Amino acid sequence: MSQPQPSLEAPQTEPLFNPLSPEVIANPYPHYHRLRTLDPVHRSPLGVFVASRHADVSFVLRDKRFGKDFVGRMTRRFGPQVLDEPVYRSMSHWMLQMDPPDHTRLRGLVVKAFTARRVEDMRPRIQEIVDRTLDRIESRGQMDLIADFALRLPVTVICDMLGIPEEDHEMIFSGARGGGRLLDPVPLSRAEIDQANADNLATAAYFHSLFELRRRQPGDDLTTQLVQAEEEGHKLTNEELTGNIILLFGAGHETTVNLIGNGLLALYRNPDQLRLLKENPTLITNAIEELLRYDSSVQLTGRTALEDVSVGGVDVAKGESVLCLLGAANRDPVVYPNPDRLDITRPNIRPMSFGGGIHFCLGAQLARIEGEIAIATLLRRLPNLKLDNVEHPDWRPTFVLRGLNGLPARW
Ligand code: HEM
C-alpha cells in the first residue's frame, strides 16, 4: 500500500533519526529509506551511530569486536549512580545485556527449554489456548484483537513455561503491557524511571514469592530449574535468577503480541495477500517470515565497540555504540527486491527481527509457531472478520517495541 515518502532532496530540518516523533512511530519505513540512502552509518545527535543497511547491521551483531558492555555504557552515559536505580540494576543481570562468559553461562541454563523440538511439542497446547480464547469471544461479534486475542496467547504460554499458577494469569494479563520505553534509545524522564523502578520492584516481589512456591513444590518449569541451579551455588546468583526470570517473562510476550497484531494489520492493509493466505492456508509458515520482515515487533538493538572497528567505511571508536535498525535492514532493497511490498510468497526471507550472533532470540521458534497458529486459526474460524480502522491505527508511542495499543475488529 502506498505511503507518503519524504523527499530525499528536501533540506533537512528534522534530524535524520528521530525515533519518538509521531511520524516515525506511525510509519518508520520512509525515514529508514532516507537514512539508508543519505547516511547509512549515521552519527546521531543522541550520541550514537545508527546503522540502517542490512550488511552493516548483520556485521555489527555478529562481530566479536562488538558487545553489550551494559554497565560500561550506562555509567559512561549517566554516571555510576545509574546502577543504584533498581530497574537498571536488574537489567544489568539480564543475559540480553551481558557479554561472554556470563552471557554463555546464563543462556546455557535455559536454552534447552527453547529448542525447536521442545517448542514443536508445544503446538497442541498453543492450539488449545487459541481455540479457548476464540470460544470465549466468538458470539460477541466484536473484539479488540490485541487485548482480547493477541495478548492472551504469549502471556499464557510464558506463564506455563515459568510455572506461574493459573489463578494468577488474569492479574498478569491486566498488567502485561508496561515498560516498553525502557528499551528506547531516548533517555527516560525522572518520572518514567520512578515508574519503571516501581514496576520492577513489584514484579521482583511477585517472582520472589513464586521462587518460594517452587522451592516447596517443584514443577516441570523454568522457574524450578533456575531456582535449583541457584541453590547449587555456583551457576547463577540470586540477582541473576530474578533478573533473568523477569527478562524471560517480558521478552516472551510484548514481542509476540505485536507479531500477531502488526501481522494482522499488514494482511488487512494488503487484501490481495489476505485473500491469497485464506485460499492457501499452507502459505502460513512463509507468511509469518514475511510479516516478521515487513513490520517487525522489535525495530532496533544495540552494540558497543569493545575496540576500534570500521563499520561500512565509518570508524567507530572503542566505547562508542551502534544502534542496529533491524526494521531498516529488513527493508534493504539490496537484499529484498521491492522491499515495501508485502509478498507472503517471497522466497528466501531471513528476517533480522530476531537479531543475530550470540544473542539471537531464544524464543524465535516459539514466537513463529505462536504467530502461525494464532493467525491461521483466527482467519479460519472468523472468515468474515473486518478491522475497524486500517488507515490510522493506534500505535504505541515506543520505538524499539513496535506495536498497537488496540486493533478493534468485528465479524
Ligand atoms: C516476534 C517475537 C520476538 C521478537 C521479534 C524477538 C526479538 C528478539 C531480538 C531482536 C533479540 C536479540 C536482541 C539483541 O541481539 O540485542 C531477542 C533476544 C531474546 N529473546 Fe526474543 N523476540 C521475540 C520473542 C521472544 C519470546 C517468545 C521469548 C521467550 C519466551 C524471547 C526471549 C528472548 C531472550 C531470552 C533473548 C535474549 C537472548 C540472549 O541474550 O542470548 N523472545 N529477541
Side-chain angles (χ1 to χ4, degrees):
M1 101 162 244
S2 67
Q3 303 276 356
Q5 306 281 325
S7 158
L8 293 178
E9 290 79 36
Q12 296 304 315
T13 46
E14 272 283 292
L16 264 180
F17 178 64
N18 189 10
L20 296 185
S21 87
E23 294 76 34
V24 172
I25 298 281
N27 180 15
Y29 299 104
H31 301 268
Y32 292 162
H33 288 316
R34 194 177 71 174
L35 195 56
R36 200 190 307 102
T37 310
L38 296 179
D39 195 13
V41 184
H42 169 64
R43 186 185 267 286
S44 148
L46 294 168
V48 288
F49 288 97
V50 182
S52 48
R53 283 191 299 223
H54 189 280
D56 296 331
V57 168
S58 179
F59 167 74
V60 171
L61 292 180
R62 289 175 173 81
D63 195 286
K64 291 192 168 45
R65 288 169 295 172
F66 283 98
K68 293 283 182 165
D69 188 24
F70 182 80
V71 172
R73 173 162 52 90
M74 292 298 284
T75 50
R76 274 194 299 278
R77 193 160 180 205
F78 301 112
Q81 74 290 348
V82 72
L83 293 174
D84 296 339
E85 306 287 355
V87 68
Y88 291 125
R89 193 177 167 86
S90 170
M91 283 172 84
S92 73
H93 297 291
W94 293 2
M95 72 180 90
L96 176 66
Q97 303 294 359
M98 285 185 162
D99 293 316
D102 293 324
H103 169 263
T104 325
R105 171 175 54 87
L106 291 169
R107 186 167 166 122
L109 291 173
V110 293
V111 71
K112 277 208 193 93
F114 293 94
T115 57
R117 176 73 199 280
R118 284 288 286 274
V119 172
E120 204 49 47
D121 289 346
M122 291 162 70
R123 266 185 194 271
R125 170 69 176 143
I126 293 172
Q127 185 68 58
E128 178 197 327
I129 299 166
V130 173
D131 279 326
R132 267 205 290 161
T133 305
L134 288 175
D135 291 345
R136 217 176 5 235
I137 49 184
E138 197 166 5
S139 63
R140 281 203 227 151
Q142 62 178 62
M143 67 165 146
D144 173 5
L145 271 170
I146 304 296
D148 297 328
F149 181 69
L151 184 72
R152 300 191 77 95
L153 173 62
V155 176
T156 308
V157 169
I158 197 65
C159 285
D160 279 2
M161 292 182 83
L162 293 178
I164 292 175
E166 187 115 21
E167 60 266 27
D168 293 348
H169 289 194
E170 284 303 325
M171 167 198 77
I172 285 175
F173 291 137
S174 60
R177 298 203 76 200
R181 267 282 284 126
L182 209 53
L183 300 174
D184 281 339
V186 177
L188 273 67
S189 67
R190 185 65 248 172
E192 285 174 319
I193 295 177
D194 290 343
Q195 184 61 50
N197 283 338
D199 293 346
N200 177 269
L201 291 171
T203 310
Y206 174 79
F207 282 116
H208 287 148
S209 64
L210 183 66
F211 299 158
E212 286 316 309
L213 177 70
R214 291 297 163 230
R215 282 194 179 101
R216 288 195 312 274
Q217 289 174 22
D220 180 18
D221 58 68
L222 276 166
T223 304
T224 302
Q225 215 173 293
L226 288 185
V227 162
Q228 290 174 351
E230 189 238 343
E231 282 171 349
E232 288 175 33
H234 57 280
K235 292 189 176 159
L236 84 167
T237 65
N238 189 267
E239 281 190 304
E240 288 172 343
L241 167 65
T242 312
N244 283 285
I245 291 283
I246 292 179
L247 167 68
L248 285 168
F249 177 66
H253 56 257
E254 187 65 11
T255 50
T256 312
V257 174
N258 295 335
L259 160 61
I260 299 168
N262 299 359
L264 284 167
L265 178 68
L267 285 169
Y268 276 82
R269 282 177 151 184
N270 292 273
D272 62 322
Q273 298 297 299
L274 178 63
R275 203 173 324 111
L276 187 63
L277 181 57
K278 283 183 172 175
E279 287 166 8
N280 304 276
T282 56
L283 286 176
I284 187 70
T285 308
N286 203 62
I288 293 293
E289 296 308 293
E290 175 68 346
L291 295 172
L292 281 160
R293 180 195 74 79
Y294 185 78
D295 201 9
S296 175
S297 51
V298 178
Q299 288 286 314
L300 169 155
T301 187
R303 294 290 185 274
T304 297
L306 305 176
E307 52 187 273
D308 297 352
V309 197
S310 167
V311 177
V314 174
D315 291 335
V316 176
K318 178 178 174 179
E320 292 194 288
S321 294
V322 182
L323 303 184
C324 298
L325 286 176
L326 307 173
N330 281 340
R331 299 256 192 141
D332 187 336
V334 169
V335 180
Y336 298 107
N338 205 354
D340 295 327
R341 162 144 176 75
L342 181 76
D343 174 4
I344 62 169
T345 64
R346 190 185 284 276
N348 304 321
I349 315 166
R350 276 186 294 278
M352 200 65 94
S353 315
F354 294 118
I358 62 169
H359 292 278
F360 182 80
C361 177
L362 204 54
Q365 199 49 23
L366 174 61
R368 286 180 167 119
I369 292 179
E370 289 183 28
E372 206 177 283
I373 295 178
I375 292 179
T377 308
L378 183 79
L379 298 182
R380 179 167 44 79
R381 288 193 48 180
L382 300 178
N384 299 321
L385 184 91
K386 304 258 179 310
L387 303 192
D388 286 1
N389 184 359
V390 292
E391 288 306 321
H392 302 287
D394 183 11
W395 292 103
R396 290 166 70 75
T398 53
F399 178 80
V400 172
L401 296 181
R402 174 166 176 74
L404 296 158
N405 276 320
L407 193 56
R410 61 194 70 240
W411 58 93

